[in-house]
Every structure is written in C-alpha cells, then in structure tokens.
C-alpha cells in the first residue's frame, strides 16, 4: 500500500480544517518560544510537531469520543511518506496524547518500545500540542501572540497569551491541558492572558 504524505492524510480525513490550521499556528508559536527560553529543539522536531498538529484530529472522521486514539490508528495504518517508520510512530503518539491520559509505558506498547529520547520527544511535543489545542477555543478568541518567560530557580514557565479581547478562561480546561508540558519539561506552567493594547 502506498503511504500518504501528512498533507494527503489531512486532506483525506480531516473534518476540522480551520481548527487544525489554528492549532498548527499556535503550536509553532509555542515551539519557537520554547526554543528561545527553555530547551533548544531541532528543525526535524519542528517538522514532527507540524505533522502531529496537522493530523491530531483526523480521528474525528471515525468517532468523536476517542478521536485521539483513532488519529493514532489512522496514522499507523496509512503510514507517512514524509517520515521514517519511527518518526511516524512518534507522530502517532503525539496525536494520541494531545488529550486524555498521559503517556504510560505500562499501558502503551508503542510508547514503551521508544528509547528515552523518543519518549521525551513525545512528552515535549505532545505537551506543546496539548496546550495549543486547549488555547484554540471560541471563548478565548483570536490569539495574536504567545511569549514564554522562564524562572529556572523555581521551575516555573510563564505563558503570556496576547488576545484581541479581554479573556476570563475556563480554568479547569487550562489545568487539564498543561500537565503533559509540565511532565515533559519538568516545570510548572502558569498561563496569563493579556489584551493587546
């Protein structure tokens, strides 16, 4: 069977195109800030994140409730022509963990078989994607920019999110969405919203 590229898989299965494009944009904004402030990551990791952000919701084409798991299955079943088999598995895991429980070596055979660096990649890029997905929300509205400040002494990473409108976000959603990033980067995340003046 011929493998499809990320874009071909997106075109074939994605039912939430506008949401996906915005999640990609926010993921890359966060990635660039992380590279400046927390941990430098390679251009290839940026490519992996871009692919995962593009494909994270394709599972909606199968089922809404477990769409993250179906996104993973579709990626593994179809393969990705623009990535190696190992990278495809990493992308599938990032999609799998963009919502729901955190990665667990006891529960997930694919994740268990990764080496330490590959598992770290899933946690870090999955953490970025999870926050970006949580921020792409009608209640928050248009996000213009994201800046990250790090307090290394206290292991605190502050996200400053600049929006067009005044925002009072749903704190439960934000708490749920930041845990994988904290796990991957060994930090505590504080999110602050600022209206652009």
């Amino acid at each position: 069977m011929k493998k499809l590229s990320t874009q071909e898989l997106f075109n074939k299965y994605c039912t939430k195109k506008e949401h996906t494009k915005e999640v990609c944009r926010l993921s890359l904004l966060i990635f660039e800030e992380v590279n400046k402030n927390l941990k430098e990551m390679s251009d290839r990791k940026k490519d992996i994140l871009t692919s995962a952000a593009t494909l994270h919701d394709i599972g909606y084409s199968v089922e809404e409730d477990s769409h993250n798991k179906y996104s993973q299955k579709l990626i593994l079943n179809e393969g990705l022509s623009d990535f190696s088999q190992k990278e495809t598995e990493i992308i599938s895991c990032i999609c799998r963990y963009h919502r729901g429980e955190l990665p667990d070596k006891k529960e997930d055979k694919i994740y268990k078989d990764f080496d330490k660096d590959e598992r770290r990649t899933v946690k870090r890029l999955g953490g970025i994607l999870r926050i970006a997905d949580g921020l792409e929300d009608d209640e928050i509205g248009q996000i213009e920019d994201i800046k990250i400040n790090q307090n290394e002494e206290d292991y605190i990473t502050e996200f400053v999110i600049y929006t067009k409108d005044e925002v009072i976000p749903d704190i439960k959603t934000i708490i749920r969405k930041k845990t994988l990033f904290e796990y991957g980067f060994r930090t505590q995340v504080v999110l602050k919203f600022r209206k652009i003046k």
Side-chain angles (χ1 to χ4, degrees):
M1 185 176 78
K2 179 182 177 289
K3 291 180 182 178
L4 300 177
S5 69
T6 296
Q7 190 61 46
E8 288 168 332
L9 207 56
F10 171 81
N11 293 341
K12 184 174 179 180
Y13 291 112
C14 186
T15 61
K16 297 169 68 87
K17 289 186 167 58
E18 291 310 310
H19 165 78
T20 298
K21 286 175 186 170
E22 184 61 8
V23 169
C24 280
R25 183 182 77 86
L26 295 175
S27 293
L28 294 176
L29 271 177
I30 295 168
F31 182 91
E32 295 302 337
E33 280 295 298
V34 166
N35 260 1
K36 277 193 252 173
N37 294 284
L38 275 174
K39 186 76 181 171
E40 193 169 329
M41 291 183 283
S42 68
D43 286 342
R44 192 57 177 170
K45 288 202 170 118
K46 185 177 180 179
D47 295 340
I48 287 169
L49 175 62
T50 302
S51 178
T54 301
L55 301 175
H56 77 283
D57 274 347
I58 61 172
Y60 270 107
S61 65
V62 180
E63 181 190 293
E64 184 174 339
D65 286 345
S66 298
H67 71 269
N68 54 319
K69 294 177 184 176
Y70 284 105
S71 294
Q72 180 177 42
K73 285 178 184 173
L74 287 169
I75 292 163
L76 293 173
N77 289 342
E78 297 274 0
L80 289 172
S81 62
D82 38 352
F83 293 93
S84 70
Q85 180 59 33
K86 183 61 74 176
E87 288 170 332
T88 298
E89 290 170 0
I90 289 169
I91 290 164
S92 82
C93 280
I94 294 167
C95 291
R96 161 74 181 82
Y97 293 111
H98 85 270
R99 66 185 292 270
E101 66 263 18
L102 298 177
D104 185 340
K105 288 186 281 187
K106 293 176 187 159
E107 299 290 323
D108 184 339
K109 175 156 181 11
I110 295 170
Y111 183 74
K112 177 183 175 239
D113 288 345
F114 289 152
D115 67 27
K116 190 175 177 182
D117 184 56
E118 291 160 348
R119 285 196 295 270
R120 188 183 302 120
T121 297
V122 169
K123 290 183 286 193
R124 288 181 170 176
L125 298 184
I128 290 171
L129 177 57
R130 195 182 274 230
I131 288 176
D133 187 51
L135 290 174
E136 205 297 291
D137 184 317
D138 289 339
E139 285 183 23
I140 294 172
Q142 180 66 39
I143 292 172
E144 296 296 315
D145 202 5
I146 298 171
K147 296 294 178 196
I148 291 178
N149 305 310
Q150 186 189 23
N151 180 333
E152 288 182 27
E153 275 182 32
D154 296 328
Y155 297 97
I156 291 173
T157 302
E158 180 185 78
F159 280 63
V160 185
I161 297 142
Y162 293 93
T163 61
K164 281 185 173 178
D165 303 305
E166 202 75 50
V167 174
I168 302 170
D170 178 355
I171 206 74
K172 292 189 301 287
T173 302
I174 290 170
I175 288 168
R176 199 170 62 243
K177 288 291 189 177
K178 68 189 183 92
T179 50
L180 186 54
F181 187 98
E182 291 175 331
Y183 184 38
F185 288 99
R186 297 184 178 187
T187 188
Q188 288 185 325
V189 170
V190 175
L191 293 118
K192 294 186 176 177
F193 290 84
R194 299 276 184 269
K195 182 181 175 184
I196 290 180
K197 295 174 182 173

